[in-house]
Amino acid sequence: MKYFALLFVLLTLTLADARAQGTIRATTRVLPDGSTLNAVTDPSKRTREETIADTAGKVKSKTIFFLNEQNFARGCTHLDGKGNIRYKEAYKFDYSGRITESKLYSADDRPLGRRVFVYDGKSEARIEDYDVNGNRVATGSRTGGVPPAEVRRAIPLR
């Protein structure tokens, strides 16, 4: 197992060092709990795949981001450890590249709700969740099938 981890790190360093346009880039981060996040960006497919694996190497989850021409994520698909789609997201942005809304969909593209990011300051955001009927979900509640998400700023994935 250590041999494969070393081989992957060497491959990651080799790919990360390449500067050519359209080059596939791979990175690996060790998370605080010891699990790893492997990210592979493929500019020709306009995708970035992030895979989280536990300390034994078993895949816990995978997220596939779909990138636009500026390499900003315009949406993503979240999968479980077995490759089954959990839910999908589609993003809307403001003039400065901040995500203002995330629309959430089921695996079969049924709307689940939406998450709105209201920016009070330069980078602080208040999050408002809405269910499928447009009703605001109470703070701390996760009803209506709206999965939790994190606050993200649109940054080119390089």
Side-chain angles (χ1 to χ4, degrees), residues 11-55:
L11 177 64
T12 301
L13 292 174
T14 303
L15 292 174
D17 190 41
R19 305 263 188 236
Q21 177 73 7
T23 301
I24 296 173
R25 292 184 178 92
T27 57
T28 300
R29 288 187 351 204
V30 178
L31 303 176
D33 66 354
S35 59
T36 57
L37 184 143
N38 297 311
V40 178
T41 304
D42 187 343
S44 63
K45 291 182 181 177
R46 296 210 184 284
T47 61
R48 176 181 173 94
E49 293 186 15
E50 294 183 355
T51 305
I52 297 177
D54 63 18
T55 54

Side-chain angles (χ1 to χ4, degrees), residues 54-134:
D54 63 18
T55 54
K58 182 179 177 186
V59 174
K60 295 182 348 183
S61 67
K62 184 176 187 176
T63 303
I64 303 169
F65 293 93
F66 304 100
L67 310 177
N68 65 13
E69 298 78 29
Q70 293 84 28
N71 283 334
F72 289 109
R74 57 181 172 80
C76 63
T77 300
H78 299 273
L79 300 104
D80 63 16
K82 296 179 181 178
N84 300 315
I85 297 174
R86 292 177 45 224
Y87 65 99
K88 301 174 185 179
E89 290 184 80
Y91 305 132
K92 286 186 179 180
F93 302 95
D94 66 8
Y95 64 91
S96 67
R98 296 180 298 191
I99 297 174
T100 57
E101 184 177 56
S102 172
K103 290 188 177 183
L104 304 160
Y105 300 92
S106 68
D108 58 355
D109 295 324
R110 287 179 294 113
L112 295 175
R114 63 189 179 104
R115 172 164 278 180
V116 177
F117 300 87
V118 180
Y119 295 93
D120 298 329
K122 291 185 178 182
S123 62
E124 298 292 320
R126 183 178 75 247
I127 299 172
E128 298 175 355
D129 289 334
Y130 296 87
D131 66 15
V132 69
N133 298 317

